[in-house]
Amino acid sequence: MTSDSQGLSRSMHLGASTRGETVHPIMELRNLDVYYGSFHAVRDISLDVGANQITAFIGPSGCGKSTVLRCLNRTNDLVPSARVTGVIDYRGQDLYAATVDPIEVRRRVGMVFQKPNPFPKSIFDNVAYGPRVTGMKLDKSETADLVEHALSKAGLWSEVKDKLDQSGFALSGGQQQRLCIARAIATSPDILLMDEPCASLDPIATSLIEDLMLELVNDYTVVIVTHNMQQAARVSDRTAFFSARVDDAGQRYGHLVEMDQTSKIFTNPSDSRTEDYISGRFG
Amino acid sequence: MNSSVKIDDFSLRSSSLRIGERIIRGTLFAASAFSVLITIGIVWSLLVPALEFFRQVPVMDFLTGTRWAPRFKPASFGVLPLIVGTLWTTTIALIVAVPFGLGSAMYLSEYASDKTRRRLKPVVELLAGIPTVVYGFFAIEFVTRVVLKDWMGLDVGTFSVLSAGLVMGVMIIPTVASLSEDALSAVPLAMRQGSFALGANKMQTTLRVVFPAAFSGIAAAVVLGISRAVGETMIVALAAGNKPNISSNPLEGAQTMTGFIANAALGDSRVGSLEYDTLFAVGLLLFMSTLIINFISIRLVRRYREAY
Ligand SMILES: Nc1ncnc2c1ncn2[C@@H]1O[C@H](COP(=O)(O)OP(=O)(O)OP(=O)(O)O)[C@@H](O)[C@H]1O
Ligand SMILES: [Mg+2]
């Protein structure tokens, strides 16, 4: 265990940047509660997402990381039974206010899913999809430039530049995931959400995507869910540790244990549960 | 655990279970062989009299002739009028069935709530359970007489391909709707989420992502609709009439391939006569048409199948 956590802190000092230690929140979650039907899945989450930072959500399976992440761009609206209460303040507006159009939210807050989900279209059309549906008025060459730009950013351009008209399904899993990232980048979102983006990838593809996140964060804000402690330590600026506990009625629910600078969470967490989880003593 | 375990129990010789498996395998094979044999039998029984027919009437005269009068003296065996009649009724049926079928499939799969879907789908499928003779009757008595003549004031006779085609289209809606709905629902939710997460709205997601993903299934549904329309007999026999007719006017009646067979099979043609063999020649043509349609459908499904 000791050697492991030493390894962690070493890689963290090598990898994680020293980007702004003070948080300029771009999103502020206040007392967020999520219900699936009558199941009160996630309770009382309050946290800040810093602008131009990578925020990591970590914690055991089923503690509500994906649920909270999906609230940040209102993809939970697509789950018929889901209901959200509380406030998510994004640049001075509450994402869940009645006047807010979820489609407009998703145009600004993009998302990459755990499992690559390319569309049944060519590689080119996959990337051009977002700009097209959001009504960006681009002519042919502008679209082509944008596609090249997005694919280059996702580190995929050199691998696919000669087969842009082939189906997105014809790529390997890791390439598909980078295609999905390129697709999300093409709409120039303000914030990019990534739910375990490397879960189905090999170490090489994973490190490509980590490099990409570190590059993206110059222009965007990134929120990532990960089960990989090293990954959280390597790339993120701030880390939120979620956990599950059982209420008086015997219902298991997710809550936020603590959130802090990643270096602090991994070396000197305030809560012993965080330390237990990170050092693998959980459960 | 068990004291009676002997080294013998590790024997690699097959146990008696394998015999049961062989019997099951044999039975299942017999079941599939049976349907293959029946198909071969049908083709054979069509082929023999049809070949007899083509010994007397050249294939080219049959396929390109424009006058169909097998009972007249002199008889004429140009099958084009029957093909044109079939094309008319099938095309009109598709013009009805494809938009309504796909529309209701999209509504049921993408827009309707679970509750609405559970209630509406059986109602749509109910249309498929109505006997075709009832549809035929409905075509003559209601669609031709009331809708086309009275309401729309069209100059339509008792029989018309328009009426037959429209009603046949209604009959095929559930086939197209139900199979397309299955294809649309089979598209993974993740794909829709991917589209919504990029800021697409429901219609964009349905038309640009879900529909292309389900394309092979939808094509199969439409093709099955086409073969049902081509093979449908009762509605056209009742509502389209039995006058072979190459016409550009859908308000006129016409005989289809199936209409001719139904009509002639009821007649008193002597076994072995040319008139009798004519039935089988048209039957063979019909069989070949649906075979070709099915073949195209298999190709389409293969070509557009998406591996999600
Ligand atoms: N669509 C849904 N309908 C009902 N319950 C759901 C739904 N999605 C998630 N839940 C429940 O909400 C709780 C939190 O799930 P969530 O997927 O957010 O966890 P997670 O932290 O992302 O887990 P993992 O690390 O395994 O992905 C779980 O108890 C889960 O069963
Ligand atoms: Mg999750």
Side-chain angles (χ1 to χ4, degrees):
Chain A
M1 274 313 134
T2 18
S3 71
D4 215 83
S5 37
Q6 270 170 11
L8 271 178
S9 47
R10 193 178 326 117
S11 63
M12 182 191 68
H13 288 304
L14 287 174
S17 71
T18 49
R19 283 183 301 271
E21 308 228 319
T22 47
V23 195
H24 302 288
I26 192 168
M27 266 189 182
E28 295 168 43
L29 285 67
R30 292 293 173 266
N31 311 106
L32 193 77
D33 285 80
V34 186
Y35 304 79
Y36 292 110
S38 61
F39 173 45
H40 193 170
V42 173
R43 303 189 191 174
D44 199 29
I45 308 288
S46 296
L47 59 83
D48 290 349
V49 174
N52 291 92
Q53 285 196 330
I54 299 179
T55 302
F57 289 178
I58 61 170
S61 184
C63 67
K65 306 177 295 293
S66 302
T67 297
V68 172
L69 193 75
R70 283 196 298 266
C71 292
L72 304 186
N73 73 341
R74 293 197 55 173
T75 28
N76 261 345
D77 291 23
L78 307 174
V79 180
S81 66
R83 189 164 61 83
V84 178
T85 65
V87 172
I88 299 180
D89 183 281
Y90 165 69
R91 295 186 183 277
Q93 307 165 76
D94 178 13
L95 289 188
Y96 280 89
T99 51
V100 166
D101 179 357
I103 290 170
E104 291 300 325
V105 173
R106 294 180 203 126
R107 287 179 183 183
R108 287 165 184 78
V109 187
M111 184 155 192
V112 175
F113 298 81
Q114 173 177 344
K115 213 168 141 246
N117 55 354
F119 301 137
K121 298 177 180 297
S122 69
I123 292 170
F124 187 95
D125 288 340
N126 259 282
V127 182
Y129 182 83
R132 282 176 182 154
V133 297
T134 50
M136 285 163 92
K137 295 267 173 290
L138 299 175
D139 64 28
K140 252 197 155 91
S141 76
E142 285 169 329
T143 310
D145 288 347
L146 182 59
V147 168
E148 177 175 349
H149 170 79
L151 284 169
S152 311
K153 278 232 152 179
L156 193 59
W157 175 250
S158 59
E159 287 160 66
V160 301
K161 64 174 188 290
D162 300 321
K163 47 178 185 178
L164 292 174
D165 53 350
Q166 283 182 20
S167 165
F169 288 127
L171 299 172
S172 76
Q175 289 174 326
Q176 287 187 8
Q177 189 62 300
R178 280 180 285 150
L179 176 65
C180 292
I181 293 173
R183 198 172 71 180
I185 296 171
T187 55
S188 318
D190 197 17
I191 303 179
L192 188 61
L193 311 176
M194 302 172 115
D195 193 349
E196 298 183 46
C198 305
S200 55
L201 303 185
D202 70 46
I204 294 173
T206 299
S207 84
L208 274 172
I209 288 182
E210 287 178 7
D211 292 347
L212 171 67
M213 283 188 261
L214 291 169
E215 202 203 311
L216 285 177
V217 82
N218 295 319
D219 306 320
Y220 310 112
T221 298
V222 177
V223 183
I224 175 180
V225 172
T226 180
H227 277 287
N228 181 333
M229 293 304 115
Q230 279 95 339
Q231 180 168 65
R234 275 193 299 266
V235 300
S236 75
D237 301 288
R238 286 166 55 82
T239 298
F241 173 62
F242 291 79
S243 191
R245 67 175 165 219
V246 179
D247 68 10
D248 301 336
Q251 238 190 19
R252 199 167 170 272
Y253 68 95
H255 69 118
L256 178 68
V257 175
E258 65 174 312
M259 177 171 199
D260 215 322
Q261 297 277 328
T262 298
S263 52
K264 177 129 189 311
I265 292 276
F266 279 90
T267 53
N268 185 20
S270 336
D271 198 297
S272 64
R273 285 170 296 177
T274 314
E275 184 162 18
D276 289 350
Y277 182 74
I278 286 166
S279 58
R281 249 178 283 137
F282 189 89
Chain B
M1 236 191 277
N2 192 327
S3 58
S4 72
V5 168
K6 287 176 296 195
I7 196 72
D8 235 27
D9 287 345
F10 296 102
S11 157
L12 294 176
R13 269 176 296 141
S14 76
S15 68
S16 57
L17 260 177
R18 294 291 171 80
I19 292 168
E21 195 160 326
R22 252 181 239 165
I23 293 172
I24 289 170
R25 206 179 109 160
T27 315
L28 295 179
F29 173 76
S32 60
F34 180 72
S35 55
V36 171
L37 281 178
I38 294 286
T39 310
I40 293 175
I42 291 174
V43 173
W44 184 252
S45 67
L46 273 179
L47 216 51
V48 172
L51 287 179
E52 185 56 39
F53 173 84
F54 288 122
R55 202 165 302 164
Q56 297 180 47
V57 179
V59 178
M60 265 312 159
D61 290 4
F62 176 70
L63 288 178
T64 61
T66 55
R67 189 166 157 263
W68 182 255
R71 290 169 183 245
F72 282 75
K73 297 269 184 285
S76 172
F77 296 98
V79 81
L80 275 182
L82 300 187
I83 294 180
V84 170
T86 301
L87 281 179
W88 261 124
T89 51
T90 305
T91 309
I92 294 169
L94 288 178
I95 290 173
V96 174
V98 170
F100 280 94
L102 292 189
S104 49
M106 276 187 204
Y107 175 74
L108 286 173
S109 146
E110 306 299 314
Y111 288 86
S113 68
D114 262 3
K115 211 167 97 190
T116 317
R117 176 173 34 244
R118 269 201 306 275
R119 289 193 187 154
L120 213 56
K121 206 175 175 191
V123 177
V124 173
E125 281 168 356
L126 200 67
L127 284 177
I130 299 175
T132 53
V133 66
V134 175
Y135 273 116
F137 189 70
F138 172 71
I140 302 178
E141 292 301 323
F142 184 72
V143 175
T144 307
R145 200 171 290 176
V146 180
V147 178
L148 298 181
K149 230 182 241 171
D150 292 354
W151 293 358
M152 303 179 70
L154 292 174
D155 178 26
V156 58
T158 314
F159 302 115
S160 75
V161 291
L162 179 61
S163 170
L166 289 177
V167 172
M168 201 153 79
V170 172
M171 181 198 79
I172 306 170
I173 289 174
T175 305
V176 176
S178 183
L179 290 178
S180 310
E181 203 260 329
D182 291 345
L184 291 171
S185 309
V187 174
L189 185 67
M191 225 181 254
R192 294 182 182 84
Q193 286 176 338
S195 170
F196 285 121
L198 290 168
N201 61 32
K202 191 121 196 174
M203 202 63 204
Q204 289 167 331
T205 303
T206 305
L207 289 182
R208 299 194 190 196
V209 173
V210 182
F211 195 88
F215 184 80
S216 74
I218 290 170
V222 171
V223 170
L224 187 65
I226 296 176
S227 34
R228 286 205 60 189
V230 170
E232 168 49 36
T233 307
M234 211 52 180
I235 297 173
V236 293
L238 286 175
N242 55 10
K243 197 167 85 20
N245 182 10
I246 296 187
S247 164
S248 56
N249 181 2
L251 297 178
E252 288 176 22
Q255 194 166 44
T256 64
M257 291 187 270
T258 52
F260 166 75
I261 295 174
N263 208 285
L266 297 173
D268 47 4
S269 27
R270 216 166 15 86
V271 175
S273 68
L274 183 59
E275 210 184 312
Y276 174 84
D277 291 338
T278 312
L279 275 175
F280 291 87
V282 177
L284 187 66
L285 182 64
L286 193 61
F287 181 75
M288 299 293 278
S289 328
T290 40
L291 206 65
I292 290 169
I293 295 168
N294 283 343
F295 192 73
I296 294 171
S297 126
I298 291 169
R299 293 288 297 264
L300 269 181
V301 169
R302 289 237 177 92
R303 192 176 135 113
Y304 289 100
R305 197 197 321 262
E306 299 294 354
Y308 40 72

